[in-house]
Amino acid sequence: NLATDGIGEVAIAPFYTVRDGWSTLINLTNTQNVPVAVKVRFHEAHNSRDVLDFMVLLSAFDVFTGIVTEDSNGNAVFRSTDTPNQAGNRTCTIPTAINLPNASGDLPNVGLSTAGYMGVGADNDKGQQNTDRLKEGYIEFIVMGYAEQDGNGVASLDMFDANDLNGIQNLDVGQAIEEHVCDARLDLAFTREDNAATGQPEILNTAQQFGEPINALKFNFRLINVERGVEAGNSATTWANFYTPGTGNGINATVEPADNANCAIWRGIERHNADVGTPVFRTAAVDWLPNASDDTNYTNETTAFLSSDGSCRNLIAEQQRQAFLEPTLNDAYPVVANSWDDQLNAALSLVPTYVSMANQFNSDDAAAGDEDALRGIDAMSATIMRRFVVNEWADNSAAGVSTDWILTQPTKAFYVDGVNQDQTITTNESIQTALAPERLEALVDSDGDTFFEARFTGNPPVDLGANGTVDLPLAPYSTAWNVRAGQTLADACNEVEFIYYDRAEQKPNVGSSGVIISPQPPQTIKSDNVCHEATVINFNGASAFADAGSLAAPNRVNVDTSDIPGNALNGWMLLDLSPNGEALTVTGLPVGTEQLGLPAIGFNLKVRSLGTGSAASNYASTLDHGYIRETN
């Protein structure tokens, strides 16, 4: 559910930018008295491909801050701005180097990477092929689990004392986080290297020390332009109760660290154990399951042990290829979207109806009530399905006022972005190939002829072809990510409509006034295509991101309001995300069975420059979008 109190397990800052002198600041606050591990992932704006990925390990009541900006060469980079404590220690990150100063006391610039969309094979998505694409996007934060802070929370673990020479082999990760001991031993704890004492991977030792994610974090972000002297902040969109395996296992209780002390399968194990079978299904020696009901064996090159206590009921994964792709928004569990619907005046518990190859291709049956066979991403989408987006606009050049709407669709890639499996896959497979099962929980058919196909098992509410496939995109999206006829760059477009008014409820002219010949033509409603995951909507060509690169970016849409009588300077707009009736099918609606619209979040950014030549005369603010839901 969306976190009505602003504190939760998952958050998305709908927009980051380094364009036109802007930078973006992030702030993570741990509101609880236990350490938590958080995945931080930057997605570029076009197709949600990953461009930066790391972990933040927050001690009790800790805060981590950072900035994404341009370096002296114009490259998009992230830099920690974390404040050290009295002892000079900072919040731990994985890799630890992200938050360790050099000899001069400076924290490193970490470059955002084009590898997720400019690589070879599946890693090249045929979209814009340059570094400019890194300059805008959105950021997601996922709590992976919580640990004990006193070193006594998990039996059989030695107290951490920062001494690598005394025979202690199992690092007490929670205590290391709390003591801010960010060193090579902590990095090692988030790898799959074998532990000499236990004979099992280091990451398993770590996962056994964490409980489930908890509603602990407050997230916010700020857009700042130092040259103009403006800053505008907002809270990230936050979800509570994202991953609650105790509830999903029939136990309405929190899974504590001690409950995972004997687990044997950690999140992400499939990523480095993947191979290709016939037909082209990803296979692995084991499957991590969200409710710890698995009892298969895990075998690596040197060690075999029985997972008698099943999967670790947390989202802890190693920060290594390809497991760094875990967790994702598809890890929502149980797959139920809880929300309050203002239009229906009712509390809803919505269950998606797409059935996937759940838990890396186990044959679970959603029709039998097994949530494991459903896609968690569909529950995430159901919480933010909106038919109309509502907000203000202003375009007053005399007062230097411009408005940008940010429209972000953080789950879109799971419905439109396919992967061509007609290639040799190894343990060091491509980023996108490794990501495909999490995005689609399915792969193309074995002949490799169709680029955009997804495979389902169980009892899906769709007509399957002869090969048991269904073409992408998945509803509610109308086109897959691809190069359209007549285009040179790939995109995935949905048509939207703009219904706008000024502040005196005037709308565009519909014809001559006075006595007319009936019937009078209806109001002309303008439409356009929204083709990217994070879109900037401008009004009358004005924007707070006004350099040439910004205005020419593919993820820009312009709304011309000059046909309002008198050329109004400001007003409001209804953005219809579903003029053609696109819908997400769910069960649990008291009226109808489909949610119309698209899963969307965002805000508007209004900048005012009074033209005095002084940065002190510039102002900026943000305003959350309003939304109207609709079912049919």
Side-chain angles (χ1 to χ4, degrees), residues 239 329 332 337 350 352 375-386 410-412 414-415 475-477 584 586 595 598-600 629:
W239 285 261
L329 297 181
L350 307 176
R375 302 196 331 155
I377 194 65
D378 297 322
M380 289 290 289
S381 294
T383 64
I384 54 173
M385 280 291 293
R386 280 80 184 248
T411 63
K412 180 178 178 180
F414 291 82
Y415 298 82
Y477 289 95
L584 179 70
V586 294
Q595 292 179 294
L598 297 174
R629 298 179 185 264

Side-chain angles (χ1 to χ4, degrees), residues 478-509:
S478 57
T479 60
W481 180 268
N482 203 350
V483 180
R484 293 178 289 149
Q487 303 288 327
T488 59
L489 299 178
D491 56 22
C493 298
N494 270 59
E495 184 180 5
V496 299
E497 290 184 347
F498 309 111
I499 306 168
Y500 50 88
Y501 305 84
D502 68 8
R503 291 180 179 174
E505 77 268 358
Q506 295 182 112
K507 55 189 178 183
N509 285 319

Side-chain angles (χ1 to χ4, degrees), residues 68 75 82 110 204 224 227 259 295 324 332 449 492 499 614:
V68 56
N75 299 314
D82 191 42
V110 182
L204 179 56
I224 185 170
E227 182 178 349
D259 297 327
D295 60 357
F324 69 83
D449 292 338
I499 306 168
S614 169

Side-chain angles (χ1 to χ4, degrees), residues 36-121:
V36 294
V38 182
K39 171 67 72 172
V40 180
R41 184 174 288 126
F42 287 71
H43 296 275
E44 50 80 29
H46 295 196
N47 189 27
S48 290
R49 292 291 179 94
D50 299 355
V51 294
L52 179 63
D53 182 297
F54 60 93
M55 296 182 200
V56 174
L57 307 178
L58 291 162
S59 58
F61 306 125
D62 194 11
V63 175
F64 176 81
T65 63
I67 183 171
V68 56
T69 186
E70 281 189 321
D71 65 11
S72 59
N73 297 316
N75 299 314
V77 297
F78 173 81
R79 183 174 66 254
S80 168
T81 58
D82 191 42
T83 303
N85 61 16
Q86 190 173 16
N89 298 322
R90 289 180 167 85
T91 300
C92 292
T93 60
I94 302 293
T96 56
I98 287 177
N99 210 23
L100 292 180
N102 59 23
S104 301
D106 299 322
L107 291 168
N109 285 335
V110 182
L112 276 61
S113 172
T114 63
Y117 62 85
M118 283 181 60
V120 297

Side-chain angles (χ1 to χ4, degrees), residues 252-509:
N252 190 17
T254 299
V255 176
E256 298 178 355
D259 297 327
N260 282 320
N262 297 312
C263 66
I265 301 175
W266 66 94
R267 188 73 188 107
I269 188 175
E270 305 98 330
R271 289 293 166 262
H272 68 267
N273 240 13
D275 200 351
V276 175
T278 302
V280 194
F281 287 91
R282 287 172 56 90
T283 63
V286 297
D287 299 317
W288 173 90
L289 295 178
N291 62 0
S293 61
D294 190 80
D295 60 357
T296 58
N297 288 324
Y298 165 68
T299 304
N300 67 9
E301 295 175 355
T302 61
T303 308
F305 51 90
L306 181 66
S307 60
S308 57
D309 289 304
S311 300
C312 302
R313 286 179 288 172
N314 55 45
L315 299 177
I316 299 296
E318 63 265 41
Q319 188 66 27
Q320 285 182 295
R321 167 182 196 106
Q322 297 293 339
F324 69 83
L325 296 168
E326 302 296 344
T328 74
L329 297 181
N330 199 33
D331 281 310
Y333 184 83
V335 187
V336 179
N338 295 313
S339 64
W340 177 267
D341 192 299
D342 292 327
Q343 277 68 48
L344 297 174
N345 192 32
L348 304 180
S349 291
L350 307 176
V351 179
T353 54
Y354 279 131
V355 177
S356 72
M357 306 186 72
N359 305 307
Q360 306 310 301
F361 318 111
N362 285 341
S363 302
D364 296 336
D365 187 2
D370 189 345
E371 300 96 338
D372 298 345
L374 297 171
R375 302 196 331 155
I377 194 65
D378 297 322
M380 289 290 289
S381 294
T383 64
I384 54 173
M385 280 291 293
R386 280 80 184 248
R387 171 66 190 271
F388 294 100
V389 181
V390 183
N391 216 326
E392 301 176 1
W393 61 268
D395 172 33
N396 186 349
S397 58
V401 177
S402 64
T403 307
D404 295 271
W405 279 27
I406 308 302
L407 182 74
T408 299
Q409 302 167 75
T411 63
K412 180 178 178 180
F414 291 82
Y415 298 82
V416 304
D417 192 8
V419 59
N420 189 347
Q421 281 283 317
D422 192 14
Q423 56 184 304
T424 300
I425 307 300
T426 67
T427 301
N428 292 319
E429 60 192 333
S430 74
I431 295 173
Q432 179 60 8
T433 301
L435 187 60
E438 275 306 302
R439 286 208 170 162
L440 300 172
E441 290 289 346
L443 301 175
V444 299
D445 58 337
S446 57
D447 59 24
D449 292 338
T450 305
F451 191 88
F452 294 111
E453 282 191 327
R455 186 183 297 271
F456 293 85
T457 63
N459 184 29
V462 292
D463 293 328
L464 300 181
N467 292 325
T469 62
V470 57
D471 289 340
L472 293 185
L474 305 182
Y477 289 95
S478 57
T479 60
W481 180 268
N482 203 350
V483 180
R484 293 178 289 149
Q487 303 288 327
T488 59
L489 299 178
D491 56 22
C493 298
N494 270 59
E495 184 180 5
V496 299
E497 290 184 347
F498 309 111
I499 306 168
Y500 50 88
Y501 305 84
D502 68 8
R503 291 180 179 174
E505 77 268 358
Q506 295 182 112
K507 55 189 178 183
N509 285 319

